[in-house]
Amino acid sequence: MAKGIGEFLMETVGEAVAEAILTLLACALLLGLGLIAYLSWSFSPRLTVAGAGLLSLFLAHGAWSVFRDPARGRGRRGLAAVTATGFALAAAVEVFLLFYGTGCGCL
């Protein structure tokens, strides 16, 4: 019985520590993204808006290439593969921030 209690406590403490680490990473990521936005805006607002527009086009092309039906017998190549990977990475970061960034307390 003591062994079962010890395993339960180790699992509970491990989950709490993992949750705290993931929340800390999400807060650091939010802080880093905010700092990048602030510094780029203070350097050049026009370049910031242009960069945001280019990033939006990149992600839109990635979403389009992920959700469209590829031609028969052909996989994604070149630009479509790069933008699809970028879109998938951005979506994964968004889901991570949705789950762990909301408990950050810095919002």
Side-chain angles (χ1 to χ4, degrees), residues 2-99:
K3 183 179 178 182
I5 293 173
E7 287 178 4
F8 172 74
L9 286 175
M10 286 297 290
E11 184 177 330
T12 303
V13 169
E15 286 180 10
V17 168
E19 184 82 19
I21 289 171
L22 288 174
T23 302
L24 181 67
L25 284 174
C27 290
L29 181 63
L30 280 173
L31 180 68
L33 290 173
L35 183 63
I36 288 170
Y38 173 75
L39 290 175
S40 66
W41 186 264
S42 65
F43 176 70
S44 174
R46 289 180 183 155
L47 285 178
T48 302
V49 172
L54 286 174
L55 182 63
S56 297
L57 285 174
F58 178 80
L59 293 175
H61 186 269
W64 177 73
S65 65
V66 165
F67 292 115
R68 73 178 172 114
D69 293 330
R72 182 174 263 175
R74 293 184 62 175
R76 289 185 184 86
R77 297 183 197 181
L79 181 64
V82 171
T83 58
T85 303
F87 173 73
L89 181 65
V93 168
E94 292 294 329
V95 169
F96 172 71
L97 287 177
L98 178 69
F99 287 136

